[in-house]
């Protein structure tokens, strides 16, 4: 082996992760969906109120944030953490979602589920549909709040994938980073005032979410996110008695070793072709990996139906022989409709890589991948 090859191999070796007390853990780059670290990441476990990450994103996507949610007998006085909502009380779905995520209200979770899904059971169907859509193969939900149930479980890797997806939604991202929220109280002269239980918002520079969780069987669970220099990371730990410290160390590890690189810019010209990139693409990489990313232009045949708005194919990006993403390309001079442009960006490739040197793919998860 040459000296140069040895140097490259050393640079590509997985950096040693920090020790932690979690039974299961995962670290993910939010923009690209690349899994940067996993410890027993596919182990099925109870996730307590981390469930409410799924509850919130399903409610945001299927519900009207300005609609009124009425507290039913089933939601009123729900066991566990609570907003202490009154029977028959009505509140905007938007405000109830703040109570759900900041104070972990189980009464809010139940009321939201009944409002959006028609019933708690109907909403759980939507939760499991979303899990299947995102490729959360180790997850199954039985309720919207996370109270212990033997058939209600997820994994650290799945929860990382879900969190990265949810943080792309601006309403979700705004809610989980809020430290204090006031909401009208129809029963009293004073407003509701909810302080976020997530101590990471105060403990870690750049922290901007996400959710705490605890039951007697699940023990301490935590998902946190942070943004530095334009890069956002998220950490999941399940059954971790030292979670605040462990999250800080894992976030530091990610920011230190895996920088987010813009590999393609929106509107970038395709060399040797009268084409331009339809959106940007970024990926978290080790220092030596940037030069190893390969691009391949794939053009549609003229008879293929998806040639709207001058779209002519896509650029396929790969690393270590595995596809990490695709970017649509359009004829120069084409005007990409804004709604389509935003949709393309929202569907950036979610590429999971496993712990062993990050060289083996675990899959690409997309909601509707570029319509292909």
């Amino acid at each position: 082996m040459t000296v140069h090859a040895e140097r490259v191999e050393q640079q590509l070796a997985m950096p040693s992760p920090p020790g932690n007390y979690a039974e299961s853990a995962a670290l993910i780059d939010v923009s690209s969906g690349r899994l940067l670290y996993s410890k027993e990441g596919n182990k099925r476990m109870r996730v307590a109120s981390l469930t409410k990450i799924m509850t919130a994103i399903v409610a945001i996507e299927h519900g009207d944030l300005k609609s009124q949610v009425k507290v039913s007998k089933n939601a009123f006085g729900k066991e566990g953490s609570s907003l202490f909502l009154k029977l028959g009380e009505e509140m905007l779905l938007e405000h109830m979602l703040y109570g759900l995520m900041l104070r972990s209200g189980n009464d809010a979770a139940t009321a939201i589920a009944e409002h959006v899904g028609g019933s708690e059971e109907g909403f759980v169907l939507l939760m499991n549909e979303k899990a299947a859509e995102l490729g959360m193969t180790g997850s199954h939900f039985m309720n919207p709040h996370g109270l212990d149930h033997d058939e209600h479980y997820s994994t650290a890797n799945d929860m990382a994938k879900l969190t990265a997806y949810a943080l792309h939604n601006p309403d979700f991202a705004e809610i989980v980073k809020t430290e204090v929220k006031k909401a009208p109280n129809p029963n009293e002269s004073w407003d509701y005032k909810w302080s976020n239980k997530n101590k990471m918002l105060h403990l870690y520079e750049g922290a901007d979410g996400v959710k705490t969780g605890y039951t007697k069987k699940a023990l301490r669970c935590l998902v946190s996110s942070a943004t530095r220099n334009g890069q956002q990371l998220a950490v999941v730990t399940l059954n971790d008695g030292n979670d605040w410290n462990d999250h800080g160390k894992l976030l530091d590890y990610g920011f230190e070793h895996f920088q987010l690189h813009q590999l393609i810019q929106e509107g970038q010209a395709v060399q040797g072709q009268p084409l331009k990139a339809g959106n940007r693409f970024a990926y978290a990489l080790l220092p030596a990996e940037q030069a190893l990313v390969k691009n391949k232009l794939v053009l549609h045949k003229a008879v293929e139906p998806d040639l709207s708005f001058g779209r002519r194919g896509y650029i396929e990006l790969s690393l270590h022989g595995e596809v990490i993403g695709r970017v649509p390309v359009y004829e120069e001079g084409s005007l990409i409709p804004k709604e389509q442009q935003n949709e393309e960006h929202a569907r950036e490739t979610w590429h999971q890589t496993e712990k062993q040197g990050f060289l083996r793919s675990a899959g690409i998860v997309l909601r509707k991948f570029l319509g292909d």
Side-chain angles (χ1 to χ4, degrees):
M1 184 180 295
T2 66
V3 173
H4 174 71
E6 288 179 350
R7 187 178 298 117
V8 170
E9 185 173 309
Q10 290 171 0
Q11 291 173 325
L12 289 174
M14 182 182 69
S16 297
N20 60 77
Y21 291 89
E23 183 175 347
S24 179
L27 169 67
I28 196 168
D29 174 72
V30 170
S31 178
S32 65
R34 184 178 187 180
L35 196 64
L36 308 179
Y37 167 76
S38 178
K39 174 186 178 183
E40 296 291 336
N42 291 319
K43 184 177 182 179
R44 291 182 176 181
M45 297 182 64
R46 300 175 190 269
V47 293
S49 286
L50 302 190
T51 298
K52 290 163 184 160
I53 297 172
M54 177 64 86
T55 301
I57 193 61
V58 169
I60 290 169
E61 292 185 347
H62 288 270
D64 177 0
L65 295 183
K66 299 305 178 183
S67 61
Q68 292 282 347
V69 180
K70 189 172 184 177
V71 179
S72 70
K73 183 178 180 180
N74 186 39
F76 171 67
K78 196 73 176 180
E79 64 180 292
S81 55
S82 179
L83 299 184
F84 304 103
L85 301 171
K86 305 294 186 183
L87 180 63
E89 179 176 346
E90 294 189 0
M91 180 183 293
L92 286 179
L93 175 58
E94 178 182 8
H95 291 155
M96 199 166 280
L97 284 166
Y98 275 93
L100 174 80
M101 298 306 285
L102 272 63
R103 298 305 301 170
S104 204
N106 291 338
D107 49 357
T110 305
I112 289 168
E114 293 174 337
H115 175 75
V116 175
S119 66
E120 190 169 341
E121 293 76 15
F123 188 82
V124 169
L125 286 175
L126 295 177
M127 296 171 73
N128 285 312
E129 285 179 3
K130 175 58 68 174
E133 181 182 308
L134 295 178
M136 297 172 62
T137 56
S139 301
H140 185 258
F141 297 97
M142 291 296 293
N143 60 62
H145 38 66
L147 290 173
D148 288 318
H149 189 293
D150 287 344
E151 296 179 41
H152 186 100
Y153 53 80
S154 188
T155 70
N157 287 355
D158 277 3
M159 292 307 299
K161 186 184 299 183
L162 170 64
T163 299
Y165 172 84
L167 284 169
H168 279 75
N169 184 289
D171 293 314
F172 180 92
E174 181 63 30
I175 291 169
V176 298
K177 74 178 183 181
T178 300
E179 296 189 26
V180 179
K181 177 67 177 179
K182 287 186 177 181
N185 185 339
N187 302 304
E188 304 290 347
S189 59
W190 41 267
D191 290 339
Y192 285 109
K193 185 178 180 181
W194 300 312
S195 298
N196 202 319
K197 289 184 176 183
N198 185 3
K199 294 181 181 180
M200 288 296 291
L201 295 175
H202 307 285
L203 294 174
Y204 192 83
E205 181 183 353
D208 46 21
V210 174
K211 188 72 189 73
T212 60
Y214 176 84
T215 68
K216 290 182 179 180
K217 291 185 177 181
L219 301 176
R220 292 182 64 89
C221 302
L222 180 64
V223 176
S224 65
S225 63
T227 302
R228 289 185 179 176
N229 300 317
Q231 181 178 16
Q232 188 174 30
L233 303 179
V235 176
V236 180
T237 54
L238 305 177
N239 184 15
D240 185 348
N242 193 36
D243 47 12
W244 307 119
N245 289 328
D246 286 345
H247 277 238
K249 291 188 292 184
L250 285 167
L251 288 167
D252 284 345
Y253 167 80
F255 285 125
E256 179 182 356
H257 296 290
F258 295 90
Q259 184 177 347
L260 186 64
H261 292 273
Q262 289 289 337
L263 300 177
I264 294 181
Q265 299 291 339
E266 181 183 316
Q268 179 177 323
V270 178
Q271 187 174 5
Q273 298 284 342
L275 302 170
K276 62 179 180 181
N279 56 266
R280 64 188 183 276
F281 182 83
Y283 203 70
L285 298 166
L286 291 168
E289 287 182 321
Q290 187 175 9
L292 302 179
V293 176
K294 298 184 183 301
N295 297 350
K296 182 175 72 173
L297 178 63
V298 179
L299 297 177
H300 293 317
K301 297 177 182 178
V303 296
E304 293 189 15
D306 191 8
L307 297 177
S308 57
F309 307 108
R311 180 172 167 175
R312 291 296 175 261
Y314 56 86
I315 298 170
E316 184 176 86
L317 298 95
S318 61
L319 177 65
H320 308 306
E322 301 289 348
V323 176
I324 61 173
R326 291 178 179 174
V327 175
V329 294
Y330 295 80
E331 289 181 351
E332 289 181 352
S334 299
L335 180 62
I336 305 170
K338 192 64 178 176
E339 61 272 15
Q340 182 164 333
Q341 191 178 64
N342 290 339
E343 187 176 6
E344 296 285 8
H345 180 59
R347 293 172 181 173
E348 283 183 354
T349 303
W350 297 80
H351 183 76
Q352 293 290 333
T353 51
E354 292 186 347
K355 182 177 178 181
Q356 293 81 3
F358 310 112
L359 302 182
R360 188 158 62 90
S361 296
I364 301 172
V365 181
L366 298 168
R367 186 174 180 181
K368 293 178 183 176
F369 184 48
L370 303 178
D372 292 337

